[in-house]
Amino acid sequence: TYNSQPIYEYVVDFNNNDWEEKLVGVQFDIEYYNQDDYKGNEDIYSKNYLTLASKIATEVKKTDLKLGFAIPYWLHRDGTFEKLLTILKETTDSYVVLMSYRDTPYGDNGTVAISEKSFEIAEKNSSNVKIYIGQETIKNKVKSITYFEKYEEELHEASTEIAEKLSQHKKCLDICFGASIQAFQRRF
């Protein structure tokens, strides 16, 4: 099981200090679907994940922190994504980062295509939850999901294309790369 309380308490304690700098939010990347016994226990893991997300959201609502979850693009298949949106729309400022990891925005298996369903679900549910698109930039044995061996210009062009193609969705505000971009930049 995953205990988010120490992380949350750390952020709240940090923000309660007298320092000028404050943390603006917390983001969780809980990859429960990578557990050895996930197959055959999907419902249990999904239920536990949503219970944890609900507990975290309840605590974060007591603060002015932003709340985010990094999730795989396919999480909508079993209804977990829609339920997570319902939990998050109760918070003031929340978002999800769709881990839509592909090395191209194009085609049936490109970033745009694999992200579409999540945007449709969010818009259907009139959710106020922002959606960002995550792209992988670190080395991975599956080369079709990372920009690691590509040039920086290719990543920039792909980001622009993804943003343009998904801009029809009012939920698509930014392309989110997170800390992985640092590893990408060090290569050049």
Side-chain angles (χ1 to χ4, degrees), residues 151-167:
Y151 292 102
E152 189 173 356
E153 294 80 27
E154 291 176 87
L155 176 60
H156 178 71
E157 288 171 17
S159 308
T160 302
E161 185 67 22
I162 294 165
E164 286 176 10
K165 294 287 186 194
L166 292 174
S167 66

Side-chain angles (χ1 to χ4, degrees), residues 24-152:
V24 296
V26 290
Q27 177 176 306
F28 294 89
D29 181 1
I30 305 166
E31 299 185 12
Y32 62 91
Y33 43 83
N34 286 331
Q35 298 299 314
D36 291 338
D37 64 341
Y38 174 71
K39 271 207 183 313
N41 295 304
E42 295 92 338
D43 290 343
I44 294 168
Y45 274 103
S46 178
K47 182 181 177 193
N48 289 343
Y49 174 76
L50 292 168
T51 299
L52 177 60
S54 182
K55 287 179 183 177
I56 293 169
T58 298
E59 291 300 314
V60 170
K61 279 193 281 191
K62 300 173 188 173
T63 70
D64 59 352
L65 293 169
K66 294 179 182 183
L67 174 60
F69 284 87
I71 62 170
Y73 71 90
W74 49 261
L75 203 60
H76 65 272
R77 292 179 189 157
D78 68 356
T80 302
F81 176 67
E82 192 168 355
K83 292 172 186 167
L84 180 62
L85 288 179
T86 300
I87 291 167
L88 292 179
K89 71 180 176 182
E90 307 259 336
T91 63
T92 308
D93 198 356
S94 59
Y95 64 92
V96 295
V97 177
L98 286 180
M99 296 185 289
S100 299
Y101 298 164
R102 293 295 182 268
D103 68 346
T104 180
Y106 309 106
D108 291 342
N109 198 32
T111 300
V112 173
I114 66 173
S115 303
E116 283 285 344
K117 186 68 174 170
S118 296
F119 283 97
E120 291 169 10
I121 290 169
E123 289 173 352
K124 183 183 105 193
N125 291 308
S126 302
S127 175
N128 61 335
V129 179
K130 296 178 186 97
I131 299 177
Y132 298 93
I133 300 294
Q135 292 290 272
E136 185 66 89
T137 58
I138 60 174
K139 190 173 184 173
N140 192 299
K141 62 184 173 190
V142 182
K143 294 183 189 309
S144 63
I145 67 165
T146 182
Y147 282 89
F148 179 74
E149 292 184 351
K150 298 198 174 213
Y151 292 102
E152 189 173 356

